[in-house]
Amino acid sequence: TPFALGAGTTLAGNLRYADAAEGWEPLGALVFSHEFSERLAVMASVSYDKQQFQTDVLGGQTRGGWRFSNRNDRATVPQNYFAPEYRYATDRDEERERLGASVAVAFRPNDATEIEAQWFHSNLDILTQEGSMKFAFTGEGAALVTGDPSLPIEIDPNGVLIRGTIAANSAEAISFVKNTDITSDNFQLKFKWDNGGAWRASAAAAYSKADQDSASANNDVRFTAYTVRGENGVG
């Protein structure tokens, strides 16, 4: 609170740099307070930070159930193995930039009463960019390549595919971007009364408001073997 920092003027802050995914980014805060008298004091602050994250994700998608025995390569690979229908390799970048500010005013009309008002504002921008490559692992005619000594196949006793080369008849490239802006404001009002007697009183009220705006775009390009229907529905 403004009275907690003592008489006179106080100025404090810190600045540091954090090693993020794309380099060194600044983080900092500055706090200012001034006590005009034992009756009135103010305090203000501002803070800023920027962080960047990079994530590589390898995921599996199985829409029709994991293939164990009913696979496209069942005739050439007699040993059963577990495999998802699709694999996703994703490169995801996220940037978060936040600016915060606050103002507090404390007032003592007399020795027994104190009134304090606070306002805090925060603005957060989040930019997410993502690129994915999807390829069929068992679906759409995909199968392990057999008969080539340079492409060995290894399956452990539990049916886990350790090594192998998949010949896929389809692939899909997906790009995604999303920009989100979040703004919030918080207002607080506090009241305390204590004259040193048997009775004391205190009350507080708060009001918060937040807005979020988001825009996103997605692009999906797919390659696969297909046929085009001709006249009379003949492919």
Side-chain angles (χ1 to χ4, degrees), residues 7-70:
T9 300
T10 300
L11 182 64
N14 66 75
L15 176 65
R16 60 191 177 92
Y17 283 84
D19 188 7
E22 302 297 327
W24 293 85
E25 299 294 348
L27 298 89
L30 185 65
V31 178
F32 166 82
S33 74
H34 181 74
E35 187 175 300
F36 295 92
S37 66
E38 294 182 353
R39 301 296 186 195
L40 180 64
V42 298
M43 181 174 65
S45 71
V46 62
S47 63
Y48 172 83
D49 72 86
K50 183 178 180 181
Q51 302 181 56
Q52 300 193 50
F53 307 92
Q54 192 276 332
T55 307
D56 293 321
V57 181
L58 179 63
Q61 177 69 40
T62 299
R63 297 169 180 169
W66 286 61
R67 305 294 183 89
F68 185 69
S69 59
N70 185 22

Side-chain angles (χ1 to χ4, degrees), residues 61-74 77 79-86 136-144 155 158-161 166:
Q61 177 69 40
T62 299
R63 297 169 180 169
W66 286 61
R67 305 294 183 89
F68 185 69
S69 59
N70 185 22
R71 304 183 321 273
N72 299 313
D73 54 15
R74 186 69 181 85
V77 185
Q79 183 177 351
N80 288 327
Y81 67 91
F82 291 99
E85 285 188 285
Y86 298 97
F137 208 83
T138 57
E140 302 183 33
L144 278 170
I155 302 172
N158 295 318
V160 177
L161 180 64
I166 299 290

Side-chain angles (χ1 to χ4, degrees), residues 112-115 189-195 199-205:
T113 307
E114 181 175 322
I115 302 172
L189 184 63
K190 300 178 182 179
F191 169 82
K192 292 191 300 182
W193 178 82
D194 185 0
N195 64 356
W199 295 92
R200 291 175 294 175
S202 64

Side-chain angles (χ1 to χ4, degrees), residues 26 42 52 72 75 86 92 100 111 135 139-140 145 147 176 186 222 225:
V42 298
Q52 300 193 50
N72 299 313
Y86 298 97
R92 181 180 301 129
D111 292 340
F135 52 92
E140 302 183 33
V145 177
F176 173 78
N186 183 277
R222 180 178 175 83

